[in-house]
Amino acid sequence: MRFHLGVYKTLGSRDFGADVVFTDREGVRNVIQAKRYSIEYPVGISAVQEVFSCMRYYKAKKAIVITSSHFTESCETLAGINFVKLIDRTDLIHVIEAFRGGDMIEARDFIEAEPRMILESWSEANSNTLHEVRKDYKAEKYVKKVMSK
């Protein structure tokens, strides 16, 4: 089965968080957020938030963030939890070298590969590792009161 591989560049600042929209070899629509940063400045979680939030608008099933830099640890965690593929500077060089070498299949396989997935997330909130997360007993009591009416 052969699919039409449509590639679209979004225009201007009203892109809703995607710079490129494309259909891969499996017929799955992908959105890409590209971040051209200096190597000293890693990409933070906002890139994942932007590309993930625009998936519905573009009717995409996969999201990718590509950068000329690297990603912060929190960005990698959020991407892993939301199944957003991250392609950093090292990966980008690999893809460019594959294209330059004429190995389009290797480049596509790399871009279209499944993202790193993190399956543990909120369940860790009750552990001692996340000090910035606290249960709000006051809010919980209020919700119970409102719901019992």
Side-chain angles (χ1 to χ4, degrees), residues 17 31 47-56 63 65 82-84:
V31 286
V48 172
Q49 292 168 332
E50 289 170 13
V51 77
F52 185 79
S53 67
C54 78
M55 287 174 65
R56 252 193 192 165
V65 179
N82 288 291
F83 311 124
V84 172

Side-chain angles (χ1 to χ4, degrees), residues 126-142:
N126 292 322
S127 74
N128 293 330
T129 58
L130 293 177
H131 303 289
E132 63 275 3
V133 176
R134 287 187 308 235
K135 192 165 186 174
D136 190 338
Y137 293 103
K138 193 173 185 181
E140 195 171 81
K141 185 177 177 183
Y142 177 75

Side-chain angles (χ1 to χ4, degrees), residues 9-50:
K9 183 182 180 322
T10 58
L11 301 174
S13 61
R14 298 192 59 153
D15 61 15
F16 298 98
D19 295 312
V20 175
V21 179
F22 77 96
T23 304
D24 64 23
R25 291 173 288 178
E26 301 295 320
V28 176
R29 185 168 296 155
N30 291 252
V31 286
I32 295 177
Q33 173 71 251
K35 295 294 186 186
R36 185 178 177 202
Y37 285 10
S38 169
I39 197 158
E40 301 90 41
Y41 299 103
V43 175
I45 63 171
S46 63
V48 172
Q49 292 168 332
E50 289 170 13

Side-chain angles (χ1 to χ4, degrees), residues 31-33 45 47-53 55 61-66 71 75-87 113-118:
V31 286
I32 295 177
Q33 173 71 251
I45 63 171
V48 172
Q49 292 168 332
E50 289 170 13
V51 77
F52 185 79
S53 67
M55 287 174 65
K61 298 232 188 284
K62 292 183 179 180
I64 303 168
V65 179
I66 299 175
F71 298 100
C75 180
E76 289 181 11
T77 300
L78 188 62
I81 290 168
N82 288 291
F83 311 124
V84 172
K85 182 165 179 71
L86 299 179
I87 298 177
E114 291 300 314
R116 174 179 167 246
M117 295 183 200
I118 298 174

